[in-house]
Structure formats: C-alpha cells, structure tokens
Amino acid sequence: MPVTIVMGAQWGDEGKGKIVDELASKAHIIVRFNGGDNAGHTTINEFGESKLHLIPCGIFNPQSICIIERGVLINIINLEKEMKDLLDKGVSLRNLRISPFCHLIMPWHIAADKGAEKKFKIGTTLKGIGPCVEAKANRRFAFRICDLLDLKVFGEKFREIFLLNEKELRLLYEPGLMKSFEEELENFILAAIYLREGGWITNTQDIIHKAVKKEKPILLEGAQGTLLDWNWGTFPYNTSSDVMSIAACMFTGIPMNAVKHNIGIAKAYLTRVGEGPFPTEIFGPEGDTLRKLGKEFGATTGRPRRCGWLDLMLLRYAARINNFTSIALTKVDILGKFPVIKLGIGYKGLKRDINELDFMKLEKMEPVYRIMEGDWGNLSRFRWREEFPKTLRDYLNVIEDFIEIPVTLISTGESRGNIVPPPNFLA
Ligand code: IMP
C-alpha cells in the first residue's frame, strides 16, 4: 500500500468483493466510500458466502478497522439487517465505524424510485438512490446519520417531510407507495437506536487522518463501476453517484499523492443490469450459458444480468479516465470454460478511442472482435501467471497491449486464495 483504491472498471458486479477480501489482510483500514445498498459485493471465505451491500468487504479481517464514509447513502433498516446477519455468522463488528455525515435513504426516496421507474425506466435497483441524491443536493429535505443523535428532533422533521412527500408521491405517481407514517417512523427509530447504542457512529475522519499521517496501509473500496458514473458513464443509464477513483480521495479526505495503487477491477467478460447500451452483449443460448456458469444474477435484486464479451474499447476508456495503475481481472476461470472466446477490440467505422460523445449512439455501434482460444481448464492450482496455459497468457497479453496497463491480479476461482499471484505485492 500505503493507500490502495479498488474501483469497478465496468458496469458494476466486477467481483470487487472478492478482490477486497483477498487484499484486506494487508490493510489497517478499509473504507467504503460511495454508492448505497444498490451495491452487492459477494465474498466466499471461512464464513461461507456473504452478500454485503453497505459494510466494507474487509469486515472479515478482524485486524482491520472498517469505515463507511460520507459518500455512502445509507438505508439504516437494511444496514441493521446486514449487521445482524454478519453477527449471526460469527463475524465481529467491533471494528466497524460509520461517518456521521453519510446521507440517509428515506422511505419516500424508495417510493419515488419505484414510482418513477414505472413511468421512466432506467432499470434501477429501486433502492431510492436517485431521490436520496436529489435530497442531498437540495439540502432542505435531507437527513444524515448525525440527525439520528437527537431522536426527538429527528421524529419531528421526519413527520414534516413524510407528509410533504406523501402528497407529492400521490400527485406524481400513485397512492400507497409508502407504509403509514407510524409504521415507517417506528422502523426508522428502532434501527437508529440499534446503530447509536452499538457505538459505531464516530469521527471517522480522525481515524483516517491519523492513519494517513502514520503511513498505515489503507484500502479504499469503491462500489459500482465507472461506466455507471453519473458524469462519465452511459447517462442516463447510470447510477446517481461518483464512481471514479478520484471519488475515493474526495469522500475520505485522503490526499491524492498518498495513493500508491489505483486498481481497476474488471471481469474477464462483461455484464450489466438494467437498461442501456451494451454493444458486446451475447443473446441466446451462449449468453444464457455464460450467465449460468458465472452465476450472473444480481446480488441486490436477483435480476439476471445481461452478459457479453469483454469490450476493450470501454475498458481502455475506464482505465484512462481513472488513471488506473493496474487491472485485477476476475472470473477468468468462468470465461475459460468456453472453447472459443471473443474479445471486443473496436467498433466498425470508429478509427479512434471511444469517448462520451459516442455513448449517445453506443446502442447502434457494432463491435469488431478478435477470436481467441479458450478451454483453459482448472486454474485454481496455479500460483503464478507463467504457469497458465498459453491460450490464457495470450488473452492477458492482448488485454495489456490494448489498455496499456498491466493486469496484476487474476482471480481464478470464487473462493479466497484463488488468485494469481498471491496478493502480497501490496506490502
Ligand atoms: P440505481 O443505482 O439503483 O439508481 O440504478 C441505476 C443503474 O445502476 C441501474 O442500471 C442499476 O442496475 C445499476 N446499478 C446500481 N448499482 C449497481 C451495482 O452495484 N452493480 C451493477 N449495477 C448497478
């Protein structure tokens, strides 16, 4: 380290949970800094399979302090549930810390997301992300974790804004999108009491600042992927938050020059959920096979993910705008089950790099493919890249030549330890 950023390089679901779980043992502090419970990070380790939505995937390492920092939008009811699920598995939450400045996802945000999706479909996770960010930008109607510290004042503001939103939701969409005021408030208060009493809400900045000063190893765990960024992604089919490496510094207050590794996580193929352009999408039985082999169903919503070939034009775009120092490539073992593999290396008629202007016509763009050999066999016994079959080494070389940064970590299976090389380069 000392500071390593792990950021999705595609449309989310790149396998960031697995990579963070692998790297966590080296980190003194792990910070989740963006997104909300629209994210779903899957890890498989000694606690079995876990799907985390808000808590950093480093929580399984009892030595690390895990922080939820201010860029994360929190649904406290779902956070309480996630915490209790971990406790039931025997995972300690002693080292969890939550920033008082995280914004809260309120019941009317979820209701508005649901109402809006029926009229204007983006394919959101229906977790209330967009409406929560609207409230944050508006300021007047926003709630933060620190508002839970005085529950009397919180209850009064909750009532006022609940009633306003109830009217607005009925006008804009339909009645019945929220439960009764009493029920919604009670759920909130119970979760608030749970969070407050556990002592998890604290001055996280102080912890981060001291760790940076002492040059302790810090891992910054991003959610979603760059192509879902609201400024740089495939607008409007994106999420409502900053999904760029630079956001890791912005939301943690860590100086940019403290960052040593800025790792983009990419799947060896490509998936997306929700609406939006996807030039290398595979339709029909081949796509179904990839979905089944890769278990490509949303960790948050259970929706089947759209599956396709790796698109190097989009990966190079993500690498460039994030200034990634390297790529961690996941699910290589899954792709290797196909005897013939396609790799998107361009678009018909486009003789330069892709940019955001092209995103407006991305659904009409036709990919150019390079055909490569698959059938890589079982990779879990390999520790070093040189041991891989030549066909896989060729695949990796083509990627590196194209995106002009190295692939430094290769995930060869879903369990902890299935990674090449062992991730001690971060020491
Ligand atoms: P929202 O973030 O729920 O508003 O959804 C906006 C878009 O981002 C939709 O296409 C979602 O499917 C997508 N999205 C949000 N979070 C994730 C994620 O963690 N993985 C993959 N797609 C996501």
Side-chain angles (χ1 to χ4, degrees):
M1 300 209 179
V3 178
T4 295
I5 300 173
V6 164
M7 174 49 75
Q10 296 163 327
W11 279 298
D13 307 317
E14 296 93 349
K16 294 177 289 290
K18 151 100 179 159
I19 299 297
V20 172
D21 186 52
E22 296 281 2
L23 300 179
S25 65
K26 299 273 165 210
H28 179 71
I29 294 182
I30 297 153
V31 192
R32 169 76 196 275
F33 60 83
N34 71 336
D37 63 331
N38 49 348
H41 295 165
T42 307
T43 53
I44 299 176
N45 52 32
E46 72 268 31
F47 296 97
E49 179 170 311
S50 311
K51 289 188 197 302
L52 299 180
H53 303 282
L54 288 160
I55 297 175
C57 297
I59 198 70
F60 302 104
N61 176 24
Q63 268 78 50
S64 312
I65 297 172
C66 282
I67 296 176
I68 304 179
E69 219 2 289
R70 68 194 67 200
V72 180
L73 312 170
I74 301 186
N75 176 327
I76 57 168
I77 294 161
N78 290 349
L79 177 59
E80 179 189 0
K81 186 175 173 311
E82 194 170 319
M83 290 166 78
K84 288 183 169 164
D85 285 350
L86 286 173
L87 289 171
D88 284 349
K89 285 184 167 188
V91 180
S92 167
L93 298 182
R94 199 168 41 91
N95 285 341
L96 180 65
R97 306 283 184 273
I98 303 168
S99 165
F101 306 115
C102 292
H103 278 249
L104 301 187
I105 296 181
M106 307 303 289
W108 44 91
H109 297 154
I110 299 167
D113 204 2
K114 287 181 180 158
E117 270 295 284
K118 285 193 192 158
K119 289 198 169 180
F120 312 99
K121 197 167 168 61
I122 289 175
T124 73
T125 59
L126 305 179
K127 297 288 177 185
I129 301 297
C132 179
V133 175
E134 280 178 47
K136 181 172 174 176
N138 187 313
R139 296 152 293 159
R140 295 172 184 86
F141 309 117
F143 288 83
R144 296 182 297 173
I145 288 279
C146 51
D147 292 316
L148 303 173
L149 300 178
D150 184 337
L151 285 179
K152 188 167 174 296
V153 176
F154 174 81
E156 283 160 12
K157 187 173 165 190
F158 188 103
R159 181 186 176 80
E160 201 179 338
I161 297 176
F162 179 95
L163 294 176
L164 272 176
N165 275 278
E166 200 180 41
K167 266 192 214 150
E168 192 174 294
L169 286 165
R170 197 172 299 144
L171 273 175
L172 280 175
Y173 308 119
E174 58 194 91
L177 284 166
M178 282 196 285
K179 294 183 199 134
S180 71
F181 162 72
E182 290 76 13
E183 208 178 329
E184 297 283 16
L185 180 62
E186 191 187 345
N187 289 341
F188 243 81
I189 297 284
L190 290 176
I193 292 172
Y194 179 77
L195 286 186
R196 275 177 19 166
E197 289 186 349
W200 290 291
I201 304 169
T202 188
N203 184 348
T204 50
Q205 258 318 286
D206 203 37
I207 304 170
I208 294 174
H209 182 71
K210 283 184 181 141
V212 171
K213 228 172 153 193
K214 288 188 182 154
E215 297 192 12
K216 299 267 189 196
I218 302 175
L219 187 57
L220 305 179
E221 173 186 339
Q224 285 92 35
T226 288
L227 299 174
L228 289 173
D229 183 88
W230 62 342
N231 286 298
W232 296 88
T234 46
F235 191 91
Y237 303 107
N238 53 272
T239 190
S240 306
S241 60
D242 299 280
V243 196
M244 301 277 290
S245 296
I246 196 83
C249 293
M250 181 170 86
F251 287 130
T252 58
I254 293 179
M256 287 182 293
N257 59 6
V259 177
K260 185 167 177 201
H261 301 284
N262 176 9
I263 307 175
I265 315 291
K267 215 149 35 182
Y269 48 95
L270 192 54
T271 60
R272 105 170 275 179
V273 264
E275 308 296 304
F278 185 175
T280 57
E281 184 165 8
I282 311 172
F283 298 98
E286 205 174 24
D288 294 340
T289 306
L290 187 50
R291 187 173 306 109
K292 217 162 125 197
L293 290 173
K295 298 187 196 154
E296 296 296 350
F297 297 88
T300 300
T301 59
R303 289 181 292 179
R305 295 177 185 142
R306 298 157 64 191
C307 295
W309 303 111
L310 183 59
D311 186 328
L312 288 183
M313 291 291 270
L314 292 177
L315 188 57
R316 183 158 69 187
Y317 167 79
R320 197 181 65 211
I321 61 173
N322 280 292
N323 201 18
F324 289 140
T325 51
S326 66
I327 290 286
L329 201 66
T330 62
K331 293 200 162 177
V332 172
D333 54 315
I334 304 293
L335 185 68
K337 293 187 171 93
F338 283 79
V340 176
I341 287 164
K342 290 186 186 172
L343 196 48
I345 52 164
Y347 295 105
K348 285 184 188 153
L350 188 75
K351 292 199 168 48
R352 52 164 174 77
D353 267 348
I354 196 156
N355 63 42
E356 306 91 283
L357 285 174
D358 301 312
F359 284 177
M360 289 188 252
K361 47 181 190 313
L362 198 57
E363 75 276 6
K364 295 204 182 76
M365 288 167 70
E366 258 189 80
V368 177
Y369 288 114
R370 175 162 176 170
I371 311 289
M372 303 200 65
E373 270 181 61
D375 269 341
W376 298 330
N378 182 355
L379 305 173
S380 62
R381 65 184 188 282
F382 298 127
R383 283 287 147 268
W384 306 103
R385 180 166 164 172
E386 298 70 39
E387 298 166 0
F388 283 151
K390 182 174 179 310
T391 42
L392 171 53
R393 282 186 278 126
D394 288 347
Y395 187 73
L396 297 172
N397 290 339
V398 172
I399 295 173
E400 287 178 333
D401 287 347
F402 200 95
I403 61 175
E404 294 170 342
I405 50 169
V407 176
T408 49
L409 285 173
I410 301 142
S411 170
T412 54
E414 61 183 10
S415 301
R416 188 189 276 169
N418 290 155
I419 190 142
V420 167
N424 53 4
F425 78 103
L426 288 172

PDB file of all heavy atoms in Angstrom, residues 385-404:
ATOM      1  N   ARG A 385       1.452 -16.467 -12.941  1.00  0.00           N
ATOM      2  CA  ARG A 385       0.923 -16.284 -14.295  1.00  0.00           C
ATOM      3  C   ARG A 385       1.647 -17.137 -15.324  1.00  0.00           C
ATOM      4  O   ARG A 385       1.047 -17.633 -16.273  1.00  0.00           O
ATOM      5  CB  ARG A 385       1.043 -14.788 -14.633  1.00  0.00           C
ATOM      6  CG  ARG A 385       0.542 -14.411 -15.974  1.00  0.00           C
ATOM      7  CD  ARG A 385       0.400 -12.915 -16.012  1.00  0.00           C
ATOM      8  NE  ARG A 385       0.290 -12.445 -17.373  1.00  0.00           N
ATOM      9  CZ  ARG A 385       0.010 -11.204 -17.692  1.00  0.00           C
ATOM     10  NH1 ARG A 385      -0.175 -10.304 -16.754  1.00  0.00           N
ATOM     11  NH2 ARG A 385      -0.085 -10.835 -18.950  1.00  0.00           N
ATOM     12  N   GLU A 386       2.964 -17.306 -15.109  1.00  0.00           N
ATOM     13  CA  GLU A 386       3.769 -18.075 -16.072  1.00  0.00           C
ATOM     14  C   GLU A 386       3.294 -19.529 -16.165  1.00  0.00           C
ATOM     15  O   GLU A 386       3.589 -20.222 -17.138  1.00  0.00           O
ATOM     16  CB  GLU A 386       5.260 -18.078 -15.669  1.00  0.00           C
ATOM     17  CG  GLU A 386       5.935 -16.714 -15.647  1.00  0.00           C
ATOM     18  CD  GLU A 386       5.448 -15.809 -14.518  1.00  0.00           C
ATOM     19  OE1 GLU A 386       5.217 -16.306 -13.399  1.00  0.00           O
ATOM     20  OE2 GLU A 386       5.279 -14.595 -14.764  1.00  0.00           O
ATOM     21  N   GLU A 387       2.600 -19.999 -15.130  1.00  0.00           N
ATOM     22  CA  GLU A 387       2.131 -21.390 -15.133  1.00  0.00           C
ATOM     23  C   GLU A 387       0.845 -21.583 -15.947  1.00  0.00           C
ATOM     24  O   GLU A 387       0.457 -22.709 -16.245  1.00  0.00           O
ATOM     25  CB  GLU A 387       1.840 -21.845 -13.689  1.00  0.00           C
ATOM     26  CG  GLU A 387       3.054 -21.827 -12.781  1.00  0.00           C
ATOM     27  CD  GLU A 387       2.677 -21.952 -11.301  1.00  0.00           C
ATOM     28  OE1 GLU A 387       1.487 -22.061 -10.984  1.00  0.00           O
ATOM     29  OE2 GLU A 387       3.586 -21.917 -10.470  1.00  0.00           O
ATOM     30  N   PHE A 388       0.173 -20.486 -16.289  1.00  0.00           N
ATOM     31  CA  PHE A 388      -1.099 -20.587 -17.018  1.00  0.00           C
ATOM     32  C   PHE A 388      -0.886 -21.223 -18.389  1.00  0.00           C
ATOM     33  O   PHE A 388       0.194 -21.072 -18.985  1.00  0.00           O
ATOM     34  CB  PHE A 388      -1.679 -19.189 -17.267  1.00  0.00           C
ATOM     35  CG  PHE A 388      -2.339 -18.544 -16.077  1.00  0.00           C
ATOM     36  CD1 PHE A 388      -2.352 -17.163 -15.942  1.00  0.00           C
ATOM     37  CD2 PHE A 388      -2.979 -19.303 -15.098  1.00  0.00           C
ATOM     38  CE1 PHE A 388      -2.968 -16.549 -14.867  1.00  0.00           C
ATOM     39  CE2 PHE A 388      -3.597 -18.691 -14.020  1.00  0.00           C
ATOM     40  CZ  PHE A 388      -3.591 -17.316 -13.903  1.00  0.00           C
ATOM     41  N   PRO A 389      -1.946 -21.849 -18.951  1.00  0.00           N
ATOM     42  CA  PRO A 389      -1.846 -22.320 -20.333  1.00  0.00           C
ATOM     43  C   PRO A 389      -1.586 -21.140 -21.285  1.00  0.00           C
ATOM     44  O   PRO A 389      -1.986 -20.011 -20.998  1.00  0.00           O
ATOM     45  CB  PRO A 389      -3.229 -22.922 -20.618  1.00  0.00           C
ATOM     46  CG  PRO A 389      -4.042 -22.749 -19.389  1.00  0.00           C
ATOM     47  CD  PRO A 389      -3.206 -22.139 -18.317  1.00  0.00           C
ATOM     48  N   LYS A 390      -0.916 -21.449 -22.393  1.00  0.00           N
ATOM     49  CA  LYS A 390      -0.510 -20.380 -23.318  1.00  0.00           C
ATOM     50  C   LYS A 390      -1.708 -19.562 -23.813  1.00  0.00           C
ATOM     51  O   LYS A 390      -1.633 -18.336 -23.965  1.00  0.00           O
ATOM     52  CB  LYS A 390       0.253 -20.995 -24.506  1.00  0.00           C
ATOM     53  CG  LYS A 390       0.738 -19.933 -25.459  1.00  0.00           C
ATOM     54  CD  LYS A 390       1.615 -20.477 -26.554  1.00  0.00           C
ATOM     55  CE  LYS A 390       2.063 -19.390 -27.516  1.00  0.00           C
ATOM     56  NZ  LYS A 390       1.006 -18.546 -28.025  1.00  0.00           N
ATOM     57  N   THR A 391      -2.834 -20.262 -24.047  1.00  0.00           N
ATOM     58  CA  THR A 391      -4.010 -19.555 -24.572  1.00  0.00           C
ATOM     59  C   THR A 391      -4.474 -18.457 -23.603  1.00  0.00           C
ATOM     60  O   THR A 391      -4.864 -17.369 -24.019  1.00  0.00           O
ATOM     61  CB  THR A 391      -5.162 -20.562 -24.797  1.00  0.00           C
ATOM     62  OG1 THR A 391      -5.209 -21.458 -23.682  1.00  0.00           O
ATOM     63  CG2 THR A 391      -4.970 -21.338 -26.080  1.00  0.00           C
ATOM     64  N   LEU A 392      -4.402 -18.717 -22.307  1.00  0.00           N
ATOM     65  CA  LEU A 392      -4.794 -17.698 -21.323  1.00  0.00           C
ATOM     66  C   LEU A 392      -3.740 -16.595 -21.269  1.00  0.00           C
ATOM     67  O   LEU A 392      -4.078 -15.402 -21.194  1.00  0.00           O
ATOM     68  CB  LEU A 392      -4.995 -18.342 -19.941  1.00  0.00           C
ATOM     69  CG  LEU A 392      -5.197 -17.376 -18.766  1.00  0.00           C
ATOM     70  CD1 LEU A 392      -6.323 -16.375 -19.034  1.00  0.00           C
ATOM     71  CD2 LEU A 392      -5.521 -18.143 -17.474  1.00  0.00           C
ATOM     72  N   ARG A 393      -2.482 -16.973 -21.325  1.00  0.00           N
ATOM     73  CA  ARG A 393      -1.434 -15.937 -21.306  1.00  0.00           C
ATOM     74  C   ARG A 393      -1.591 -15.016 -22.523  1.00  0.00           C
ATOM     75  O   ARG A 393      -1.446 -13.797 -22.422  1.00  0.00           O
ATOM     76  CB  ARG A 393      -0.046 -16.580 -21.279  1.00  0.00           C
ATOM     77  CG  ARG A 393       0.311 -17.077 -19.870  1.00  0.00           C
ATOM     78  CD  ARG A 393       1.715 -17.592 -19.775  1.00  0.00           C
ATOM     79  NE  ARG A 393       1.799 -18.965 -20.260  1.00  0.00           N
ATOM     80  CZ  ARG A 393       2.624 -19.399 -21.205  1.00  0.00           C
ATOM     81  NH1 ARG A 393       3.485 -18.582 -21.777  1.00  0.00           N
ATOM     82  NH2 ARG A 393       2.617 -20.665 -21.583  1.00  0.00           N
ATOM     83  N   ASP A 394      -1.959 -15.615 -23.675  1.00  0.00           N
ATOM     84  CA  ASP A 394      -2.189 -14.797 -24.875  1.00  0.00           C
ATOM     85  C   ASP A 394      -3.334 -13.810 -24.649  1.00  0.00           C
ATOM     86  O   ASP A 394      -3.256 -12.644 -25.032  1.00  0.00           O
ATOM     87  CB  ASP A 394      -2.541 -15.690 -26.081  1.00  0.00           C
ATOM     88  CG  ASP A 394      -1.333 -16.469 -26.574  1.00  0.00           C
ATOM     89  OD1 ASP A 394      -0.203 -16.127 -26.148  1.00  0.00           O
ATOM     90  OD2 ASP A 394      -1.515 -17.426 -27.354  1.00  0.00           O
ATOM     91  N   TYR A 395      -4.411 -14.333 -24.014  1.00  0.00           N
ATOM     92  CA  TYR A 395      -5.585 -13.483 -23.743  1.00  0.00           C
ATOM     93  C   TYR A 395      -5.163 -12.273 -22.888  1.00  0.00           C
ATOM     94  O   TYR A 395      -5.506 -11.127 -23.178  1.00  0.00           O
ATOM     95  CB  TYR A 395      -6.643 -14.318 -23.019  1.00  0.00           C
ATOM     96  CG  TYR A 395      -7.972 -13.630 -22.808  1.00  0.00           C
ATOM     97  CD1 TYR A 395      -8.854 -13.415 -23.855  1.00  0.00           C
ATOM     98  CD2 TYR A 395      -8.355 -13.195 -21.542  1.00  0.00           C
ATOM     99  CE1 TYR A 395     -10.085 -12.794 -23.659  1.00  0.00           C
ATOM    100  CE2 TYR A 395      -9.585 -12.575 -21.337  1.00  0.00           C
ATOM    101  CZ  TYR A 395     -10.443 -12.383 -22.395  1.00  0.00           C
ATOM    102  OH  TYR A 395     -11.659 -11.767 -22.200  1.00  0.00           O
ATOM    103  N   LEU A 396      -4.382 -12.544 -21.850  1.00  0.00           N
ATOM    104  CA  LEU A 396      -3.948 -11.468 -20.949  1.00  0.00           C
ATOM    105  C   LEU A 396      -3.032 -10.482 -21.668  1.00  0.00           C
ATOM    106  O   LEU A 396      -3.137  -9.261 -21.474  1.00  0.00           O
ATOM    107  CB  LEU A 396      -3.222 -12.067 -19.732  1.00  0.00           C
ATOM    108  CG  LEU A 396      -4.078 -12.986 -18.841  1.00  0.00           C
ATOM    109  CD1 LEU A 396      -3.217 -13.678 -17.794  1.00  0.00           C
ATOM    110  CD2 LEU A 396      -5.199 -12.184 -18.160  1.00  0.00           C
ATOM    111  N   ASN A 397      -2.163 -11.020 -22.532  1.00  0.00           N
ATOM    112  CA  ASN A 397      -1.248 -10.130 -23.261  1.00  0.00           C
ATOM    113  C   ASN A 397      -2.003  -9.184 -24.187  1.00  0.00           C
ATOM    114  O   ASN A 397      -1.663  -8.000 -24.301  1.00  0.00           O
ATOM    115  CB  ASN A 397      -0.241 -10.946 -24.085  1.00  0.00           C
ATOM    116  CG  ASN A 397       0.752 -11.670 -23.173  1.00  0.00           C
ATOM    117  OD1 ASN A 397       0.933 -11.265 -22.023  1.00  0.00           O
ATOM    118  ND2 ASN A 397       1.361 -12.738 -23.663  1.00  0.00           N
ATOM    119  N   VAL A 398      -3.039  -9.723 -24.845  1.00  0.00           N
ATOM    120  CA  VAL A 398      -3.816  -8.867 -25.757  1.00  0.00           C
ATOM    121  C   VAL A 398      -4.473  -7.733 -24.964  1.00  0.00           C
ATOM    122  O   VAL A 398      -4.452  -6.570 -25.365  1.00  0.00           O
ATOM    123  CB  VAL A 398      -4.897  -9.692 -26.518  1.00  0.00           C
ATOM    124  CG1 VAL A 398      -5.833  -8.785 -27.301  1.00  0.00           C
ATOM    125  CG2 VAL A 398      -4.247 -10.705 -27.440  1.00  0.00           C
ATOM    126  N   ILE A 399      -5.005  -8.074 -23.799  1.00  0.00           N
ATOM    127  CA  ILE A 399      -5.653  -7.047 -22.963  1.00  0.00           C
ATOM    128  C   ILE A 399      -4.638  -5.973 -22.567  1.00  0.00           C
ATOM    129  O   ILE A 399      -4.872  -4.777 -22.728  1.00  0.00           O
ATOM    130  CB  ILE A 399      -6.274  -7.683 -21.693  1.00  0.00           C
ATOM    131  CG1 ILE A 399      -7.416  -8.624 -22.084  1.00  0.00           C
ATOM    132  CG2 ILE A 399      -6.772  -6.609 -20.729  1.00  0.00           C
ATOM    133  CD1 ILE A 399      -7.992  -9.423 -20.919  1.00  0.00           C
ATOM    134  N   GLU A 400      -3.503  -6.410 -22.073  1.00  0.00           N
ATOM    135  CA  GLU A 400      -2.497  -5.447 -21.595  1.00  0.00           C
ATOM    136  C   GLU A 400      -1.986  -4.560 -22.726  1.00  0.00           C
ATOM    137  O   GLU A 400      -1.805  -3.354 -22.549  1.00  0.00           O
ATOM    138  CB  GLU A 400      -1.323  -6.185 -20.949  1.00  0.00           C
ATOM    139  CG  GLU A 400      -1.685  -6.750 -19.593  1.00  0.00           C
ATOM    140  CD  GLU A 400      -0.553  -7.529 -18.956  1.00  0.00           C
ATOM    141  OE1 GLU A 400       0.295  -8.077 -19.702  1.00  0.00           O
ATOM    142  OE2 GLU A 400      -0.519  -7.615 -17.718  1.00  0.00           O
ATOM    143  N   ASP A 401      -1.743  -5.167 -23.895  1.00  0.00           N
ATOM    144  CA  ASP A 401      -1.265  -4.362 -25.027  1.00  0.00           C
ATOM    145  C   ASP A 401      -2.288  -3.299 -25.394  1.00  0.00           C
ATOM    146  O   ASP A 401      -1.947  -2.177 -25.755  1.00  0.00           O
ATOM    147  CB  ASP A 401      -1.017  -5.257 -26.267  1.00  0.00           C
ATOM    148  CG  ASP A 401       0.238  -6.095 -26.074  1.00  0.00           C
ATOM    149  OD1 ASP A 401       1.007  -5.789 -25.139  1.00  0.00           O
ATOM    150  OD2 ASP A 401       0.429  -7.058 -26.843  1.00  0.00           O
ATOM    151  N   PHE A 402      -3.560  -3.668 -25.296  1.00  0.00           N
ATOM    152  CA  PHE A 402      -4.616  -2.755 -25.715  1.00  0.00           C
ATOM    153  C   PHE A 402      -4.807  -1.612 -24.715  1.00  0.00           C
ATOM    154  O   PHE A 402      -4.899  -0.449 -25.091  1.00  0.00           O
ATOM    155  CB  PHE A 402      -5.925  -3.542 -25.874  1.00  0.00           C
ATOM    156  CG  PHE A 402      -6.938  -2.847 -26.727  1.00  0.00           C
ATOM    157  CD1 PHE A 402      -7.051  -3.140 -28.077  1.00  0.00           C
ATOM    158  CD2 PHE A 402      -7.782  -1.884 -26.187  1.00  0.00           C
ATOM    159  CE1 PHE A 402      -7.980  -2.488 -28.874  1.00  0.00           C
ATOM    160  CE2 PHE A 402      -8.709  -1.227 -26.971  1.00  0.00           C
ATOM    161  CZ  PHE A 402      -8.813  -1.531 -28.319  1.00  0.00           C
ATOM    162  N   ILE A 403      -4.875  -1.957 -23.427  1.00  0.00           N
ATOM    163  CA  ILE A 403      -5.215  -0.905 -22.448  1.00  0.00           C
ATOM    164  C   ILE A 403      -3.973  -0.220 -21.887  1.00  0.00           C
ATOM    165  O   ILE A 403      -4.080   0.768 -21.170  1.00  0.00           O
ATOM    166  CB  ILE A 403      -6.108  -1.440 -21.306  1.00  0.00           C
ATOM    167  CG1 ILE A 403      -5.401  -2.555 -20.516  1.00  0.00           C
ATOM    168  CG2 ILE A 403      -7.444  -1.929 -21.830  1.00  0.00           C
ATOM    169  CD1 ILE A 403      -6.188  -3.037 -19.302  1.00  0.00           C
ATOM    170  N   GLU A 404      -2.828  -0.755 -22.195  1.00  0.00           N
ATOM    171  CA  GLU A 404      -1.537  -0.134 -21.859  1.00  0.00           C
ATOM    172  C   GLU A 404      -1.276  -0.010 -20.350  1.00  0.00           C
ATOM    173  O   GLU A 404      -0.581   0.888 -19.901  1.00  0.00           O
ATOM    174  CB  GLU A 404      -1.415   1.238 -22.536  1.00  0.00           C
ATOM    175  CG  GLU A 404      -1.357   1.097 -24.048  1.00  0.00           C
ATOM    176  CD  GLU A 404      -1.486   2.408 -24.780  1.00  0.00           C
ATOM    177  OE1 GLU A 404      -1.961   3.376 -24.174  1.00  0.00           O
ATOM    178  OE2 GLU A 404      -1.114   2.446 -25.965  1.00  0.00           O
TER     179      GLU A 404
END
